[in-house]
Amino acid sequence: MTELLNICLCHGDSGSSLWQLRGSIFSFLASLIIFSFPATDIKSETTITATGGGETVAMESPPEKRLEIITKTTTNNGIKCKERERAQQRGRRRMLLGIGFWIQGFRCYPWMAVIFFLKDGLHVDPSTLQILQNSANLPMVAKPFYGLLSDSFYISGQHRIPYIACGAFLQALSWFSIASLPPSSISFFTITINLLLGNLGASIVEVANDAVVAECAKQPAGNSASSSSSDLPSFAWVAGSIGGVMGNLLGGISIERFSSQTMFLFFGILLTLQFFFTISVNEKSLNLPKSKSNHGIRKQFLDLLLVLRKPEIYQPISWFAASYAIIPALTGTMFYYQTQHLNIESSVLGMSKVFGQVAMLTWGIVYNRRLKSIPPRKLISTIQAILAILMVSDSLFVSGFYHRIGIPDSLYVIFVSGVLEVLYYFKTLPFSVLMAKLCPPGCEGSLMAFVMSSIALAFIISGYIGVALASYVEITETDFSGLRKALLIQAACTVVPLFWSSFIPESPKVEIGKKEE
């Protein structure tokens, strides 16, 4: 302190000594705390290097100058601290979403066991298998209700994390329940109830995760956080694809080495780990933007109806849902054709699904890096046209064309059938990005849930139409003579939505609302 007084007295009259004393004390303390300034003789020509601002300050320079430099340095260090904090928040956010979407992608692992169990254990026919697969998705149709709950009701000040945890718990309960039952005591009704419970939990998790992605995508542009958030849809897609690759790869191997109950138990353990990880995360640490529209479920429902009346919202949703609904799904029929008629081994089917998931993963990366700038209408319409072409290729495959020219059936199943199975979902990524941009602030959860439920309902309708088509062309468990005709009808239905693709906007107008931090 004596040295500080000496500095004061060396700079003029007593009228300015009080101001100089304050400036010197502030400079000394700031230097000590921020820069770990060593104790030296301050009256000498000692200098301080401000590492944050990149400037050197002589101690004999005016106090005002030293104060200015120290303040600037402190501000720069504060900005760096905030950037580090934002980076940590983005990391936690990506960890939560990465695990969530990876688990959802990995759901194909127990479902592969379910399909083979229904075929070989319960001996169901192709139509019954397809009906069960589609009926088990009925909880997905109620996604808008889960979205309204998530947007409207906060649990302990949180409105995303509790719902993710709840969904993971319901899924774990479902798969543990199936795993605990002896195979001989599992009936068609029992497995249906448990699958419905599992898909209920999965749909709740998906709604909450999609809402987090949509909320982050609405952050104002022009900062690194916004740039990182704009990549979240692609990040979620990639995480889900990686889960799908691993699930199908392990599923194809496990189905021949382990019992179905063991596979159900393993997936239940994964869901339990997700549950405990989720409840350990505090939603405040994710720095999610808070909406001002926390007015209860009735007000949220009215807001959703108001949003759905906008042409730029309901037109693309209508087109997208219809583009799935009018295509008869023949997944159960093709599964029986490949396993019963062609005698394709389960490991080959597993590799086919792995290749499809790798294609999805590649698509997510390529879209994020190269295709984001392409207008949504052009990109989605192109995918729809390619889908129709591959369905025509499937009809040639069933007729034996590729086999006659020397291409093995297993090779076609792995590469072409694997891509065709996931090509249905390729247009989901650009459409999700489009809807995230069009989604008004305050109803991200409910609107994105409505979109996903529309798609789920469209898939269910598609599955039921496919069962009707298979019955119309007289496809049975042993007779597949009408399959080629069914595939050509399927391809023709796929082309129909292209005639009203104008419902998809070329370039969305993004409306960014104010958020409370």
Side-chain angles (χ1 to χ4, degrees):
M1 291 303 295
T2 304
E3 292 174 339
L4 287 175
L5 293 176
N6 288 336
I7 292 173
C8 253
L9 296 175
C10 289
H11 287 284
D13 59 275
S14 59
S16 60
S17 61
L18 182 59
W19 164 254
Q20 293 170 349
L21 178 60
R22 291 175 179 172
S24 300
I25 292 174
F26 177 82
S27 300
F28 178 78
L29 293 177
S31 302
L32 182 63
I33 296 172
I34 300 172
F35 309 111
S36 300
F37 179 65
T40 58
D41 186 3
I42 301 180
K43 289 189 292 183
S44 63
E45 290 293 325
T46 307
T47 61
I48 303 173
T49 301
T51 56
E55 299 187 46
T56 301
V57 188
M59 286 302 297
E60 292 195 355
S61 60
E64 294 84 353
K65 177 65 175 177
R66 294 201 302 276
L67 179 61
E68 179 184 351
I69 298 301
I70 296 300
T71 303
K72 183 189 298 185
T73 303
T74 305
T75 302
N76 290 338
N77 285 344
I79 292 174
K80 288 184 178 181
C81 289
K82 289 182 179 179
E83 285 299 325
R84 284 195 296 269
E85 184 180 354
R86 291 194 189 102
Q88 292 174 354
Q89 291 167 349
R90 291 194 296 270
R92 285 190 290 266
R93 199 183 295 163
R94 283 177 175 261
M95 177 69 73
L96 178 73
L97 293 174
I99 292 176
F101 281 98
W102 184 88
I103 289 288
Q104 295 307 102
F106 198 78
R107 289 176 66 227
C108 58
Y109 176 81
W111 268 96
M112 184 176 291
V114 168
I115 292 172
F116 276 95
F117 178 78
L118 291 171
K119 171 181 169 289
D120 300 328
L122 298 183
H123 305 289
V124 300
D125 57 77
S127 297
T128 304
L129 173 63
Q130 188 159 318
I131 289 174
L132 174 61
Q133 285 180 290
N134 289 278
S135 298
N137 288 326
L138 283 173
M140 302 287 184
V141 180
K143 277 186 173 182
F145 176 70
Y146 317 141
L148 289 171
L149 282 177
S150 179
D151 283 341
S152 304
F153 290 104
Y154 285 65
I155 302 174
S156 299
Q158 304 176 98
H159 71 141
R160 303 301 181 205
I161 293 293
Y163 293 94
I164 296 175
C166 176
F169 176 79
L170 290 177
Q171 289 182 85
L173 181 64
S174 165
W175 292 108
F176 278 138
S177 176
I178 302 176
S180 64
L181 296 174
S184 57
S185 65
I186 299 179
S187 64
F188 185 82
F189 176 78
T190 302
I191 197 169
T192 301
I193 294 299
N194 282 284
L195 291 177
L196 285 170
L197 178 62
N199 279 351
L200 172 62
S203 60
I204 294 174
V205 170
E206 289 176 4
V207 165
N209 283 332
D210 289 338
V212 172
V213 172
E215 283 180 327
C216 295
K218 300 300 292 182
Q219 288 183 346
N223 53 61
S224 59
S226 175
S227 175
S228 175
S229 298
S230 65
D231 294 335
L232 276 182
S234 298
F235 171 79
W237 178 278
V238 169
S241 298
I242 293 175
V245 169
M246 297 181 65
N248 284 306
L249 183 61
L250 292 177
I253 298 173
S254 301
I255 201 71
E256 297 179 347
R257 301 187 179 186
F258 304 105
S259 66
S260 300
Q261 270 65 28
T262 302
M263 296 176 68
F264 300 151
L265 179 63
F266 176 71
F267 188 63
I269 293 173
L270 287 181
L271 290 167
T272 304
L273 294 176
Q274 182 193 12
F275 170 76
F276 283 112
F277 169 77
T278 303
I279 61 176
S280 70
V281 176
N282 192 321
E283 193 167 305
K284 292 181 180 179
S285 67
L286 304 178
N287 192 31
L288 298 180
K290 292 185 178 181
S291 171
K292 294 182 178 180
S293 58
N294 185 21
H295 300 303
I297 192 168
R298 184 176 181 276
K299 178 65 167 58
Q300 203 72 32
F301 178 70
L302 295 176
D303 289 343
L304 175 60
L305 292 180
L306 186 63
V307 169
L308 291 175
R309 289 174 185 162
K310 297 181 179 180
E312 65 271 21
I313 298 292
Y314 73 74
Q315 286 184 352
I317 294 177
S318 301
W319 185 93
F320 200 72
S323 71
Y324 285 118
I326 67 174
I327 302 175
L330 299 170
T331 51
T333 303
M334 285 299 294
F335 173 75
Y336 270 79
Y337 175 76
Q338 293 170 353
T339 55
Q340 296 286 98
H341 186 73
L342 299 180
N343 295 318
I344 300 292
E345 296 180 357
S346 59
S347 59
V348 175
L349 292 179
M351 287 303 301
S352 172
K353 293 181 181 297
V354 167
F355 185 80
Q357 292 295 331
V358 170
M360 286 186 68
L361 176 61
T362 305
W363 166 248
I365 296 173
V366 171
Y367 173 79
N368 189 46
R369 295 184 178 180
R370 303 289 183 184
L371 304 178
K372 262 187 175 181
S373 58
I374 297 179
R377 182 190 304 172
K378 181 179 179 180
L379 187 58
I380 294 174
S381 298
T382 301
I383 296 172
Q384 190 79 6
I386 295 174
L387 189 61
I389 293 172
L390 289 183
M391 288 176 178
V392 174
S393 176
D394 256 7
S395 69
L396 295 175
F397 168 68
V398 170
S399 65
F401 172 77
Y402 294 110
H403 187 76
R404 287 193 296 270
I405 64 175
I407 299 177
D409 293 337
S410 58
L411 195 65
Y412 182 91
V413 169
I414 290 175
F415 293 101
V416 182
S417 297
V419 171
L420 178 58
E421 186 173 344
V422 299
L423 193 61
Y424 281 92
Y425 305 99
F426 272 34
K427 58 186 178 182
T428 304
L429 178 56
F431 186 77
S432 298
V433 173
L434 170 67
M435 294 310 301
K437 292 179 179 179
L438 292 174
C439 180
C443 62
E444 292 90 352
S446 52
L447 181 59
M448 294 305 293
F450 180 83
V451 171
M452 294 300 110
S453 72
S454 300
I455 297 173
L457 180 60
F459 271 114
I460 292 173
I461 295 173
S462 169
Y464 291 157
I465 294 176
V467 171
L469 177 61
S471 176
Y472 172 72
V473 297
E474 299 179 346
I475 297 176
T476 65
E477 190 175 344
T478 55
D479 182 10
F480 298 93
S481 57
L483 183 55
R484 181 174 180 271
K485 180 180 179 180
L487 288 169
L488 290 174
I489 294 174
Q490 186 186 48
C493 293
T494 306
V495 176
V496 173
L498 295 175
F499 292 102
W500 75 86
S501 60
S502 59
F503 274 32
I504 308 172
E506 283 286 357
S507 55
K509 296 179 181 179
V510 184
E511 179 185 354
I512 300 176
K514 295 181 179 179
K515 297 280 184 180
E516 288 181 352
E517 295 298 334

